[in-house]
Amino acid sequence: MSEPLRVALAGLGTVGGGVIRLLDANRELIARRAGRAIEVVAVSARDRGKDRGVDLSRFAWVDDTTALAKQPGADVVVELIGGSDGPALTLARSTLGAGRSFVTANKAMIAHHGLELARAAEGAGVALKFEAAVAGGIPVIKGLREGAAANEIARVYGILNGTCNFILSNMESEGRDFAEVLAEAQALGFAESDPSFDIDGVDAAHKLSILAAVAFGTQPAFDDVAISGIRHLLGADIAEAAALGYRVRLLGLAEAGADGLFQRVHPHLVPIDHPLAHVTGSLNAVVAEGNFVGRLLFQGAGAGDGPTASAVVADLIDIARGEFGPPFAMPVVSLTAAPKADSGERRGRAYLRFTVADRVGVLAEIAAAMRDAGVSIESLIQRGAIADGSVLVAIVTHESPERSIAQALEKLRGSQSLVGQPMWMHILD
Ligand SMILES: NC(=O)C1=CN([C@@H]2O[C@H](COP(=O)(O)OP(=O)(O)OC[C@H]3O[C@@H](n4cnc5c(N)ncnc54)[C@H](O)[C@@H]3O)[C@@H](O)[C@H]2O)C=CC1
Ligand SMILES: N[C@@H](CC=O)C(=O)O
C-alpha cells in the first residue's frame, strides 16, 4: 500500500470529534477503499484541556490553528471550525496557497468565498472539497457533480436545514414549543454556534447558493438569495396547514430561467403526498430535476456528528485516491455570473396568516386588499381568541403572481386591525 494520506484537523467539536471517531472505527475499510491509510497527524481547537471523549495524545497539538496550513508532514487540512471569515478563511487561503488540499464542512465560508478558494485550488492543482457543507451526510454535491453531470438541471430544491426541520416536525407531531425544541436541537449538536443562522434561514441560504452553483454552473451568489426563516411561525400555522392537507417545511429553491437565476429560502406548505412532507427530524432532502435523468431525490441525515463526518471522510477518500475535479463541477472560468431573477412574475398559491383584532370589519378589510390587488381567495379560516384575545385568519389564495400578493400585504401594512406581521408561505406544487 502507498504512503498514508496525512491530515491536519482544525476544530474538534461535533463534526471534528465525529471525524476522529469515524477514522478510528472504519480505519481498515477506509484504507482498503482509499488504497492507502488516512491518518490524522495534527489537531487544533480553542481549548486543549477539554474532554472530548477521544484520545488526542497520539496527535501533535497546534495552538495556532492557522499554522496547520504549513504543518510539517501533513498532505491535507480539514477545517471544522466554522465562520465565513476569521481563522477558517485564513486557514483555507494559506493551505491552498501552500499547495495543499483543503476539506471543509463550512458552508458559510464556501458561500461567501468559494469562488476565490476554488480559483486558488485550481491554480495550485490541489483539491478543495466541501461535501459536508450541504445537507450533512447526503452525498448531494457528488451526486450532482458526478452522477448527474450529463444533465441540464432546471430546478433544485429541498430541506437544507436539519435544525429547522427538527423544530417543525416536532412542533407538528408533538405540539411542542418552538424554544424548547430549538434547545434540544442545540444540545444534539445540529444547530450552528449562532442558531439564528438556522432559524432565520441563513444557513439554508448558504447551502442553497452552493448547490445552485454546482447544479447550474453559476458563480455562488449568496447575496441573491431571498431569505426568510421560521422565527415568526406559530403552532397555529402548523395546525392550519395540517387541516388543509399540508405540512410546513423550510425549503430552499433555485431555478434557472431565461431571466436569470432565482434563489429563495422560505417556509412552504408541502402537500401531504409529496415526499418532502415525510422528511422529519434532522433529516434533509434535495430534489434535482435533470433533463435526461428526470427527478432525483437525495435524502438522509442533514446534521450531527456521524453523518457530517461521513461526508468529510468521503472527501478525504477521494483525495487519497487522487480523484478530484473542479470544486463547483466545472472550471472557475466556465462558471457564469447569472443575473438575479425577479420573483414578481412567479405564479403560485399562497398561505397568508393574519393575527387580527377581534372587531367588526376586519375580514372585509383583508378581503378588500386582496380584491384590489387582484388576488382571488380559495379558502379562508377564522379561529377565535388566540393568546391575547386576537383572532387568527388564515387564507389560501388561488394561483396569483407574487407581485399581487405583495401588493395586497403592502396595502394592509400599518392597518390598525392587524396585530403583528402577516405570515406568507408559498405552497409547493
Ligand atoms: N454540527 C453539524 O451538524 C454540522 C456542522 N457543519 C459545519 O461544520 C463546522 C463545525 O461545526 P461543529 O462541529 O458543529 O461546531 P462546534 O462548535 O461543535 O466545534 C467547533 C470547533 O472549532 C473550534 N474553534 C472554534 N473557533 C476556533 C478558533 N477561533 N480557533 C481554533 N479553534 C476554534 C472549537 O474549539 C471546536 O473544537 C461548521 O462550519 C458547521 O457549520 C456542517 C454540517 C453539519
Ligand atoms: N446547523 C445545520 C448543521 C448542518 O449543516 C443544520 O441544522 O442543518
Side-chain angles (χ1 to χ4, degrees), residues 105 107 132-133 135-136 160-164 189-192 198 203 207 282 284 302-304 308:
K107 50 271 170 146
L160 297 173
N161 185 270
T163 301
C164 285
F190 304 152
E192 296 303 300
D198 295 295
D203 177 75
K207 294 165 179 166
S282 63
N284 283 189
T308 313

Side-chain angles (χ1 to χ4, degrees), residues 264 343-351 375-376 378 396-405 424-429:
R264 169 159 70 202
S343 64
E345 292 309 313
R346 294 179 69 81
R347 296 181 64 83
R349 291 161 67 233
Y351 165 96
V375 178
S376 158
E378 183 185 296
V396 171
T397 71
H398 281 294
E399 192 178 288
S400 319
E402 291 186 11
R403 178 167 293 118
S404 306
I405 295 173
W424 174 1
M425 290 193 267
H426 302 282
I427 299 182
L428 186 71
D429 6 288

Side-chain angles (χ1 to χ4, degrees), residues 35-351:
R36 54 186 173 137
I38 298 181
E39 283 176 6
V40 175
V41 293
V43 296
S44 179
R46 230 178 345 216
D47 178 2
R48 185 173 186 170
K50 188 171 170 184
D51 179 13
R52 298 174 167 90
V54 283
D55 170 23
L56 299 178
S57 63
R58 51 204 161 129
F59 314 127
W61 178 274
V62 177
D63 282 323
D64 174 8
T65 304
T66 59
L68 285 180
K70 299 200 173 114
Q71 177 67 22
D75 306 304
V76 49
V77 173
V78 175
E79 181 275 311
L80 302 170
I81 298 173
S84 60
D85 296 82
L89 183 60
T90 305
L91 182 60
R93 284 176 172 153
S94 37
T95 301
L96 297 169
R100 288 180 176 174
S101 291
F102 189 78
V103 174
T104 182
N106 186 337
K107 50 271 170 146
M109 181 175 70
I110 296 299
H112 288 282
H113 304 288
L115 196 65
E116 172 205 323
L117 298 177
R119 203 175 276 123
E122 280 180 29
V126 296
L128 165 66
K129 296 186 78 64
F130 42 78
E131 182 64 70
V134 180
I138 307 174
V140 64
I141 298 289
K142 211 180 214 328
L144 293 178
R145 271 180 95 242
E146 298 174 23
N151 287 261
E152 190 174 336
I153 306 288
R155 183 158 90 136
V156 60
Y157 63 98
I159 296 169
L160 297 173
N161 185 270
T163 301
C164 285
N165 211 56
F166 186 78
I167 294 172
L168 292 173
S169 50
N170 265 283
M171 287 173 76
E172 165 190 288
S173 62
E174 293 167 41
R176 286 172 64 199
D177 177 61
F178 187 106
E180 178 194 316
V181 193
L182 171 60
E184 192 181 335
Q186 287 178 284
L188 289 166
F190 304 152
E192 296 303 300
S193 53
D194 177 356
S196 65
F197 273 53
D198 295 295
I199 61 179
D200 292 330
V202 177
D203 177 75
H206 286 146
K207 294 165 179 166
L208 183 71
S209 65
I210 299 169
L211 205 53
V214 173
F216 304 120
T218 50
Q219 297 174 359
F222 171 76
D223 291 340
D224 290 351
V225 186
I227 309 175
S228 45
I230 63 167
R231 187 183 288 273
H232 299 296
L233 201 82
L234 302 176
D237 292 316
I238 292 174
E240 294 308 338
L244 291 161
Y246 297 94
R247 287 193 175 145
V248 178
R249 294 289 179 265
L250 183 73
L251 299 187
L253 179 145
E255 205 168 281
D259 59 340
L261 179 62
F262 175 74
Q263 301 181 89
R264 169 159 70 202
V265 170
H266 205 105
H268 280 67
L269 262 60
V270 177
I272 195 76
D273 58 357
H274 192 287
L276 295 187
H278 301 277
V279 176
T280 55
S282 63
L283 294 181
N284 283 189
V286 177
V287 177
E289 296 168 354
N291 63 343
F292 273 70
V293 72
R295 188 161 99 165
L296 293 168
L297 172 65
F298 302 86
Q299 182 175 338
D305 56 352
T308 313
S310 160
V312 170
V313 175
D315 280 348
L316 288 172
I317 292 173
D318 271 355
I319 292 171
R321 291 168 171 161
E323 289 171 4
F324 49 91
F328 289 102
M330 57 180 76
V332 167
V333 69
S334 303
L335 297 170
T336 56
K340 176 183 176 181
D342 174 25
S343 64
E345 292 309 313
R346 294 179 69 81
R347 296 181 64 83
R349 291 161 67 233
Y351 165 96

Side-chain angles (χ1 to χ4, degrees), residues 234 352-367 380-395 412 415-423:
L234 302 176
L352 303 172
R353 184 260 297 153
F354 304 90
T355 312
V356 299
D358 191 4
R359 62 166 183 248
V360 175
V362 173
L363 272 186
E365 190 182 341
I366 295 175
L380 184 150
I381 305 171
Q382 177 178 335
R383 304 249 183 239
I386 57 169
D388 52 359
S390 49
V391 167
L392 181 142
V393 175
I395 288 176
L412 289 165
S415 159
Q416 297 297 308
S417 306
L418 264 55
V419 182
Q421 290 296 310
M423 180 80 196

